[in-house]
Amino acid sequence: MEFTGDFTKSMPFTPVRLRAIPKIKARQMTALAHAQRQLITQQGLNIADLEAAIATAMGPGISASDLYFQFSRQENWGLEDGIVKEGSHSIEQGVGVRAVSGEKVGFAYSDELTPSALDEAAKSARAIARSGATGQVHAWQRRTAKPLYAALDPIDSLGAAQKVEMLREMDAYARSLDPRVVQVMAGVSASVDTVLIAASDGTFAGDVRPLIHLRVTVIAEQNGRREMGSAGGGGRFGYAELAQGPGTKAHVREAVRLALLNLEAVPAPAGQMTVVLGPGWPGVLLHEAVGHGLEGDFNRKGTSAFAGRMGQQVAA
């Protein structure tokens, strides 16, 4: 468990009981319901445990606090020349508790999702308080947003054998496009992040973020020369959508096209040259050179090289 900020002896506080969360239409609750089931119900927690943790964090001097639950699951498959060379799977989960007192922020986290872990994290985050009045906890309300993708776990949308077969089909298709293709490396990865947020301002929201990514690299050889081409893509959907339509074949064709194109490439001219920057890039250079130092927070806190130099020349 980690925490930051100034620490003082915990002071007594009055727990605040949150009112019942209002019901909304089921179709609007898909992501939130999934997040609540996975991060709260299946962990043996309940809404009362969240209320208690926020009430603990909202001690004297604390103006706001929140709980951030997250469950992340990832997998990766890699195939080279028809042989599975890489396979991995990982799961991470935890909860962070944040308490805000003016400009000071206390943060603590735990990878255990239990009432005692929540309580300990809330006390650690609250310990930054030194002065001020106790903040108010508002009644929770479910926050919904327009669903941009389905609340699903893409890893479970296709079996392991089917994923390997999809990669082997990509390998065979690449070799069928041109006899100069001598090596194919293909891979797919999937992840899902499930998030639940409960805050003292009444926020109670959840999200499920699926992600699929496909990659293919092709090496072509001609007259002793070897060149490479790569392509890939993905999106927030399952493996089934990835395999539909042109899907994987379109990426394979692009990788092969680039590899064959590189076989005909000639060396680019070298040496000192005049560079013309189009609209946009000069602004990026200026931003990185002086922009961050001109940001308000850094000047207000006196940490910028430009702080207190209003009206003075600071550069040629």
Side-chain angles (χ1 to χ4, degrees):
M1 183 167 294
E2 293 185 358
F3 38 82
T4 60
D6 299 321
F7 302 92
T8 186
K9 185 177 179 181
S10 298
M11 301 176 65
F13 63 96
T14 303
V16 180
R17 182 67 183 176
L18 306 179
R19 296 198 298 268
I21 300 171
K23 295 182 179 179
I24 62 174
K25 296 181 180 179
R27 63 181 179 84
Q28 295 176 316
M29 291 176 54
T30 305
L32 177 56
H34 179 92
Q36 186 173 342
R37 180 175 64 253
Q38 185 170 62
L39 290 165
I40 305 302
T41 307
Q42 293 181 357
Q43 303 296 330
L45 296 170
N46 54 49
I47 297 298
D49 296 322
L50 274 61
E51 294 171 337
I54 289 184
T56 298
M58 292 297 292
I62 302 300
S63 55
S65 67
D66 56 52
L67 309 176
Y68 183 96
F69 294 84
Q70 184 165 355
F71 173 91
S72 299
R73 184 185 180 198
Q74 302 179 9
E75 75 164 5
N76 185 63
W77 295 87
L79 182 136
E80 184 175 344
D81 291 333
I83 302 174
V84 177
K85 292 289 186 70
E86 180 182 6
S88 63
H89 179 270
S90 65
I91 294 177
E92 296 179 349
Q93 70 175 25
V95 58
V97 183
R98 181 176 61 169
V100 180
S101 176
E103 293 188 2
K104 295 182 294 182
V105 177
F107 176 75
Y109 72 88
S110 171
D111 55 9
E112 287 187 47
L113 302 183
T114 63
S116 60
L118 275 177
D119 183 67
E120 184 178 351
K123 289 178 180 178
S124 297
R126 190 191 70 194
I128 65 168
R130 283 188 181 275
S131 61
T134 303
Q136 299 297 315
V137 180
H138 298 273
W140 286 358
Q141 294 182 356
R142 293 182 186 269
R143 304 297 174 91
T144 60
K146 180 180 179 181
L148 301 178
Y149 37 82
L152 57 83
D153 186 340
I155 297 176
D156 293 332
S157 65
L158 201 65
Q162 294 170 296
K163 296 168 188 173
V164 173
E165 183 59 28
M166 179 174 64
L167 295 177
R168 286 178 174 157
E169 289 177 356
M170 292 169 60
D171 181 292
Y173 182 59
R175 297 176 188 276
S176 71
L177 293 175
D178 195 284
R180 290 172 288 180
V181 174
V182 296
Q183 189 174 0
V184 179
M185 293 158 281
V188 291
S189 59
S191 66
V192 59
D193 289 325
T194 304
V195 173
L196 183 74
I197 300 172
S200 58
D201 67 355
T203 297
F204 189 70
D207 195 15
V208 180
R209 304 162 184 167
L211 184 63
I212 289 284
H213 181 253
L214 175 144
R215 59 197 181 277
V216 56
T217 298
V218 169
I219 296 178
E221 182 177 10
Q222 178 177 276
N223 299 327
R225 177 179 177 178
R226 286 192 166 203
E227 295 292 346
M228 182 176 66
S230 300
R236 295 196 178 278
F237 41 70
Y239 281 109
E241 289 82 356
L242 183 65
Q244 289 176 355
T248 58
K249 290 187 176 181
H251 297 303
V252 172
R253 287 195 298 270
E254 178 63 10
V256 172
R257 184 189 72 82
L258 293 174
L260 298 180
L261 182 65
N262 288 335
L263 285 176
E264 309 298 330
V266 298
Q272 292 186 352
M273 300 180 183
T274 300
V275 176
V276 178
L277 296 176
W281 281 108
V284 173
L285 294 175
L286 179 65
H287 168 80
E288 297 302 335
V290 299
H292 289 297
L294 295 175
E295 291 174 358
D297 284 348
F298 296 129
N299 283 273
R300 178 173 55 84
K301 296 178 181 179
T303 58
S304 170
F306 306 120
R309 304 189 65 183
M310 184 68 70
Q312 299 180 26
Q313 182 174 334
V314 296

